[in-house]
Amino acid sequence: MKRFPRVDSARRFSIEITGLHRTMRLACAALAIVSGLAVGCSGAIAQNAAKGSPEHIKAVTSAVDGASIKANTATSKDWPSYGLDYAETRFSKLNQITADNVKNLGLMWTYNLESIRGVEATPLVVDGIMYVTASWSVVHAVDTRTGKRIWSFDPGVDREKGYRGCCDVVNRGVALWKGKVFVGAYDGRLIALDAVTGQKVWEKDTLIDKEHSYTITGAPRVFNGKVVIGNGGAEFGARGYVTAYDADTGSQAWRWFTVPGDPSKPFEDESMAAAAKTWDPQGKWWINGGGGTAWDTITFDPDLNMVYIGTGNGSPWNRNVRSPAGGDNLYLASLVALNADTGKYLWHYQETPGEHWDYTSTQPMILADLTIDGAPRKVILHAPKNGFFFVVDRTNGKFMSAKNFVDVNWATGYDANGRPIEIPAARGAEPYDSIPGAYGAHNWHPMSYNPQTGLVYLPAQGVPLNLTPEKTLSQNARGPFKYGASTGWNVGFTLNAVDPKSLPFGRLIAWDPVKQKEAWRAEYVAPWNGGTLTTAGNLVFQGSAEGRFIAYNATSGEKLWETPVGTGVVAAPATYSVDGVQYVSIAVGWGGAFGIIERVAEQDGPGTVYTFAVGGKAPLPPLAKYQLGNLLAGVKYDPNDVPDGTSIYVEACATCHGVPGVEKGGNVRNLGYSSPETITNLKEIVFNGPYRDRGMPDFTGKLTEAEVVKIQAFIQGTADAIRPKDVPSTGQAKE
């Protein structure tokens, strides 16, 4: 009985607080009518509401708009948008954590994202309320003061359709605007959620057709009350475009296509008519989609009211079959400026004319004001897949400079007009060891720019890939060694039919964009390391493929601190201040195009947010050792089936499972280390099998039972071929 008075007292207190908030809202509303101080009212409510309460969350998220994002740039207290600020510098002015005290950085809390596939998101944080995504586009709201979940939202993507994307079922994060959280779902929906409850406010299907395999993996951007999103799918024959939607209602505001459509039909605008002149109709590019999908970078300059889009590769990659007579194939592999209000084309700069090697320009760009040749210039800093670092005038798209930041073998440089000086053999009919390979010298992993050091911190890499051109292409038709053909890939090359001679690498490069030269570098054991963050504390943070989170001196490159984080890191970190304390958070989860099939870290764990601060004392979660398993043995097969099985495996299995026994398997298992029972019963798995809810496609109608038998032969035969000679034979071949 003694507890009842306490309950009643608490209830009365709650009623009093609720009444106070209601009174404050009414007073604020009246004041807003007179003086337009609604933002100040939100701040007043947030100040008085319990931190993490629904009222507090509503107040602080409702205040996020263009003015607040610009205002936050002065302090970097919050991380309200994907790249921190509109310029997407990922430079935080917070300096509580410094090069002197970063050695005292410790774990505050971890949050389990409950995912086993790739995690690529940068968390957004506003006054301690975090929004972060995991694989399959699942959104989590987290209270950073406690590390506890506020809510989570699963958009219900059909797990069987995971094959519709080239590069894992990933998502790079959300956008915030006036009390809504916006997420692009993997299956092409753009969804607005209530920031307080996680309830759906509106949903729009962004896809222009269902025939092609479109996806969304990038983070939306919001400006001027519009949510802008692009799509992926160029490997599958998609036509690229970006779309803007009204943030309040979800109604479409504008759409701009990145490549022209069928020339027998009217073009959407003058920019498409101009682009069509740079394509050869003999290749019927509109049937193969054309490509140019804008699947990642979207950047906004509020002063110029320009949106900058980075466009993707050609579809298929091979220009010789896509556009046989040549041509630049606009607007592939380009930076494009659009009017933010109307979506009207303003200018473009094409970084890789006549794109041929999967050299997308979708990598994150940074807007900066630099002094070059003694004059102030408004520029875009960009390091796309093709291996060159570009400085481009963002007011008009004029080329300023380009210098390779890794070794390249497709061009010797760029001329004064901004065109590459190509090496002819790179487009020839013979197999070519493309450097960089299709994974890119820099992929989607965000880079950062520190105006205090004048350096860009760039995740660079090399993943060997040899390209053998196909002479003809039939869209969606299977063919010998046609990579991923059974799941819709159309690239126009046979991949690694000849072994590449280049070597893999991963490194962090500190690049001077004015001098166009490297200032320092840190080498890693492998490619596919995470995005970067730089701060006024003279620090650079980056996660690595082998499962470390590291801090460097931003000026010198000296490694100052590191900690294990359970598995490989691909995402970029964020930093923010809560109640006067600076935190650094990183969302960890191995995956992506490289991370599906290969791994470096010896540990394996679920997607997890790690959050650190000076003096943190929380224990690391248990680190589980990755269980590779034994090399496959004991599956009976006919050796005569191995050659055909090799071709079929490349068509159906290699995009996710890699080469049996050669690679270790990423977040999808390598079949060379599967159990004999799994491979013996492969038909039960590939036809309407038990792993569809994990993203395994159903190959019914795509493969025959006889072909599966040949795949079994290739898997076991490859395992036998690489088995050490001193290991006894298990007699698995049929007699």
Side-chain angles (χ1 to χ4, degrees):
M1 295 295 293
K2 292 182 179 179
R3 294 183 179 179
F4 288 112
R6 295 182 185 176
V7 173
D8 291 340
S9 175
R11 188 174 294 141
R12 285 196 302 273
F13 178 73
S14 175
I15 292 170
E16 290 169 3
I17 291 296
T18 303
L20 174 62
H21 289 162
R22 185 180 298 114
T23 301
M24 288 178 64
R25 286 197 300 272
L26 291 172
C28 283
L31 183 61
I33 293 172
V34 177
S35 59
L37 295 179
V39 172
C41 292
S42 295
I45 293 173
Q47 189 82 16
N48 289 277
K51 303 297 185 181
S53 67
E55 293 252 341
H56 169 252
I57 297 171
K58 182 174 180 61
V60 298
T61 58
S62 295
V64 176
D65 60 8
S68 72
I69 292 172
K70 291 178 69 174
N72 186 70
T73 304
T75 65
S76 304
K77 177 181 178 294
D78 293 325
W79 194 286
S81 60
Y82 181 68
L84 175 59
D85 45 43
Y86 275 137
E88 302 215 345
T89 62
R90 294 179 180 263
F91 167 70
S92 172
K93 294 183 172 67
L94 297 178
N95 59 7
Q96 189 179 92
I97 303 171
T98 68
D100 293 326
N101 67 12
V102 70
K103 62 180 179 292
N104 299 319
L105 212 59
L107 185 66
M108 297 296 291
W109 51 262
T110 58
Y111 175 86
N112 189 346
L113 290 167
E114 300 173 352
S115 61
I116 58 173
R117 300 291 291 269
V119 175
E120 297 186 352
T122 301
L124 303 194
V125 183
V126 178
D127 197 17
I129 309 303
M130 174 184 289
Y131 300 95
V132 62
T133 56
S135 49
W136 298 109
S137 320
V138 176
V139 185
H140 296 261
V142 184
D143 187 336
T144 66
R145 292 174 172 87
T146 63
K148 304 300 183 184
R149 177 177 301 183
I150 299 171
W151 53 258
S152 66
F153 171 80
D154 186 338
V157 174
D158 184 350
R159 302 311 199 242
E160 289 186 47
K161 301 297 172 55
Y163 70 89
R164 286 181 170 266
C166 71
C167 307
D168 205 358
V169 290
V170 294
N171 186 280
R172 290 181 202 96
V174 300
L176 273 173
W177 187 268
K178 294 186 177 179
K180 295 186 184 69
V181 179
F182 301 93
V183 63
Y186 184 77
D187 56 15
R189 291 171 291 152
L190 180 65
I191 303 170
L193 305 174
D194 184 293
V196 179
T197 65
Q199 297 297 307
K200 190 183 300 183
V201 178
W202 55 256
E203 174 182 299
K204 294 294 177 181
D205 186 349
T206 71
L207 304 188
I208 58 174
D209 70 65
K210 303 297 184 181
E211 178 183 349
H212 296 93
S213 290
Y214 282 99
T215 57
I216 295 177
T217 58
R221 309 300 201 278
V222 189
F223 41 78
N224 296 357
K226 298 179 181 63
V227 191
V228 180
I229 191 68
N231 304 78
E235 279 68 40
F236 301 89
R239 182 190 183 193
Y241 57 94
V242 288
T243 314
Y245 297 89
D246 183 276
D248 290 332
T249 66
S251 61
Q252 184 174 316
W254 52 259
R255 173 172 286 158
W256 185 76
F257 286 94
T258 63
V259 298
D262 186 342
S264 68
K265 301 175 182 178
F267 293 114
E268 287 82 3
D269 57 27
E270 294 178 2
S271 69
M272 291 297 99
K277 297 175 183 178
T278 68
W279 294 71
D280 178 12
Q282 184 181 341
K284 297 183 178 180
W285 77 83
W286 57 95
I287 295 176
N288 299 325
T293 47
W295 50 266
D296 192 23
T297 187
I298 302 168
T299 314
F300 174 57
D301 186 330
D303 296 327
L304 298 175
N305 201 38
M306 290 185 186
V307 184
Y308 305 105
I309 308 297
T311 67
N313 54 278
S315 179
W317 299 353
N318 186 345
R319 189 188 64 172
N320 296 335
V321 294
R322 183 181 72 236
S323 185
D328 286 352
N329 292 181
L330 293 173
Y331 299 92
L332 297 177
S334 298
L335 303 179
V336 181
L338 307 175
N339 180 289
D341 294 326
T342 65
K344 181 179 175 58
Y345 163 89
L346 298 174
W347 59 254
H348 78 275
Y349 170 66
Q350 191 170 38
E351 294 175 325
T352 311
E355 194 285 310
H356 185 72
W357 307 272
D358 191 24
Y359 287 164
T360 65
S361 289
T362 51
Q363 289 59 52
M365 65 184 87
I366 292 172
L367 312 185
D369 295 344
L370 302 180
T371 299
I372 299 177
D373 296 330
R377 302 291 296 271
K378 293 181 177 295
V379 301
I380 292 174
L381 307 177
H382 199 227
K385 274 190 180 182
N386 73 13
F388 287 86
F389 191 101
F390 292 87
V391 181
V392 176
D393 188 318
R394 73 174 183 269
T395 68
N396 55 24
K398 298 299 183 183
F399 169 84
M400 297 177 67
S401 65
K403 180 68 175 178
N404 59 299
F405 58 91
V406 298
D407 291 338
V408 302
N409 72 350
W410 69 278
T412 59
Y414 278 69
D415 64 22
N417 296 316
R419 290 193 68 88
I421 305 166
E422 290 190 12
I423 296 171
R427 290 188 189 269
E430 299 303 315
Y432 197 74
D433 194 356
S434 172
I435 303 175
Y439 288 94
H442 173 220
N443 209 290
W444 63 268
H445 314 80
M447 61 187 189
S448 57
Y449 168 66
N450 189 321
Q452 295 177 347
T453 64
L455 301 176
V456 172
Y457 303 99
L458 168 61
Q461 63 182 18
V463 181
L465 189 71
N466 191 286
L467 302 175
T468 300
E470 295 178 355
K471 291 182 170 48
T472 60
L473 176 77
S474 179
Q475 182 75 5
N476 292 335
R478 293 181 57 189
F481 295 97
K482 186 175 177 182
Y483 187 76
S486 294
T487 51
W489 285 64
N490 296 273
V491 299
F493 288 104
T494 301
L495 308 185
N496 283 350
V498 176
D499 290 336
K501 294 181 174 59
S502 57
L503 297 175
F505 67 86
R507 64 180 62 127
L508 169 61
I509 296 176
W511 188 265
D512 187 324
V514 176
K515 297 178 181 179
Q516 281 284 29
K517 64 183 296 186
E518 182 181 303
W520 57 260
R521 72 168 64 172
E523 296 284 357
Y524 290 111
V525 300
W528 213 248
N529 301 286
T532 69
L533 157 71
T534 186
T535 74
N538 197 34
L539 294 169
V540 178
F541 291 91
Q542 184 185 27
S544 72
E546 75 270 26
R548 296 177 296 149
F549 188 40
I550 309 168
Y552 298 92
N553 182 300
T555 302
S556 68
E558 177 188 2
K559 185 167 69 174
L560 302 174
W561 170 87
E562 68 174 64
T563 184
V565 285
T567 190
V569 184
V570 292
T575 188
Y576 48 92
S577 179
V578 180
D579 303 331
V581 176
Q582 183 182 357
Y583 296 85
V584 180
S585 291
I586 179 76
V588 174
W590 183 242
F594 182 78
I596 291 177
I597 62 175
E598 186 59 281
R599 70 169 53 247
V600 185
E602 295 182 357
Q603 288 78 34
D604 191 29
T608 303
V609 178
Y610 286 76
T611 294
F612 303 89
V614 172
K617 301 293 185 183
L620 286 167
L623 302 181
K625 186 174 179 61
Y626 176 64
Q627 301 299 315
L628 178 62
N630 297 319
L631 188 62
L632 180 67
V635 177
K636 293 183 178 181
Y637 68 98
D638 183 345
N640 294 321
D641 284 339
V642 172
D644 285 347
T646 306
S647 173
I648 300 165
Y649 184 93
V650 170
E651 294 176 36
C653 313
T655 56
C656 293
H657 293 287
V659 182
V662 175
E663 285 141 343
K664 296 179 181 178
N667 61 31
V668 173
R669 192 157 191 83
N670 185 283
L671 299 179
Y673 294 97
S674 296
S675 69
E677 293 76 18
T678 296
I679 303 306
T680 299
N681 298 306
L682 196 59
K683 286 185 287 189
E684 282 68 35
I685 294 173
V686 301
F687 299 131
N688 198 29
Y691 300 119
R692 289 175 297 154
D693 61 345
R694 300 186 192 179
M696 175 78 183
D698 178 8
F699 284 93
T700 302
K702 298 176 182 178
L703 294 175
T704 67
E705 290 192 6
E707 287 176 321
V708 174
V709 170
K710 293 179 178 181
I711 291 174
Q712 290 170 309
F714 167 70
I715 296 170
Q716 183 63 80
T718 303
D720 290 346
I722 66 172
R723 195 182 314 280
K725 300 302 181 186
D726 57 348
V727 176
S729 170
T730 54
Q732 55 270 60
K734 292 179 182 178
E735 295 183 1

